[in-house]
Amino acid sequence: SLDSLKQHCLIFYLLLDYAIPELVNGSTVGFWTEWKLPEPAVRYAQQVFIPRRFQYLMSGYWLLDHGQIPLGLTYLSDPSVEADWAPRILRAAVIYGCYYEARCYMTSTVKAQLEETRQDIAVLMLVHLHNNLDEAFFYQRKFRNSDPELCAYLFEQMLIHCLSPVSRRSEVDRLLEFPFDAVEEARLIQFCECSDSIMAKDFLAMYFIHHGRHIEAIR
């Protein structure tokens, strides 16, 4: 029931299995730094005139399916490519810890597809948190009027990220500088007071001192 182009793309995808047997068999560990289309796939694409953008699309999917996320996103991020399932592609990148590549993939061409569900928005927040804390802070604010509950959840995710034992000092310092409104500050205080983490308690004292509220810091 598929049209001829989709049939050709499916065959092209299967021919990509000629790339490297070790990868196909699942024995290759880690990410490739470069990749070349296997000759059978190249010849077939030339014979049936598969447009370049569809070759890139199928190559990107094939690489993602075989755990080669950075290279797969390179193909799928090409301006000529219109990839379906953008939220799933982004989730795959996050699962593999490819946050920088995920941010590069979040172009204007796919952004409209990336906020369809709360799960998608949570994944986007993770991408922002691992790339640019300022972007994450202002991203969660987008939802404070339309969905306060979601906004509160994203704000908490930011605090968990910044106040975890593996957090970078630069992120903690930046968190001190954010212009929290009254609602955000109340959430921050509640989070730190209810947390079992000593780091969160220390941060709250630092926060009060930083803002000249020494009595509260002593308490």
Side-chain angles (χ1 to χ4, degrees), residues 86-98:
R88 295 185 184 184
I89 293 169
L90 199 68
R91 282 199 294 273
V94 168
I95 288 170
Y96 278 84
C98 300

Side-chain angles (χ1 to χ4, degrees), residues 135-202:
E135 287 182 359
F137 174 69
F138 289 107
Y139 181 69
Q140 59 89 23
R141 276 192 169 182
K142 281 179 54 178
F143 305 98
R144 59 181 172 181
N145 294 324
S146 59
D147 195 337
E149 183 180 338
L150 174 61
C151 181
Y153 170 77
L154 297 177
F155 187 80
E156 183 179 6
Q157 294 308 300
M158 182 178 70
L159 296 180
I160 292 172
H161 175 81
C162 292
L163 300 178
S164 72
V166 296
S167 300
R168 291 176 293 182
R169 178 58 187 267
S170 60
E171 293 177 327
V172 177
D173 291 343
R174 186 67 188 116
L175 193 62
L176 283 173
E177 302 290 339
F178 282 139
F180 297 127
D181 59 26
V183 173
E184 291 167 339
E185 184 179 271
R187 288 172 180 163
L188 169 67
I189 293 172
Q190 182 182 23
F191 175 86
C192 292
E193 288 180 341
C194 296
S195 175
D196 295 328
S197 168
I198 296 176
M199 184 175 181
K201 300 287 196 300
D202 289 346

Side-chain angles (χ1 to χ4, degrees), residues 10 32 51 60 65 72 75 78 92 108 126 129 135 156 174 188:
L10 177 57
W32 286 357
D65 289 341
Y75 279 90
D78 187 273
S108 58
L126 281 174
L129 284 171
E135 287 182 359
E156 183 179 6
R174 186 67 188 116
L188 169 67

Side-chain angles (χ1 to χ4, degrees), residues 28-47:
T28 297
V29 178
F31 296 136
W32 286 357
T33 55
E34 58 184 21
W35 186 62
K36 184 178 180 180
L37 285 174
E39 190 59 33
V42 173
R43 289 200 306 269
Y44 184 77
Q46 293 172 345
Q47 290 169 5

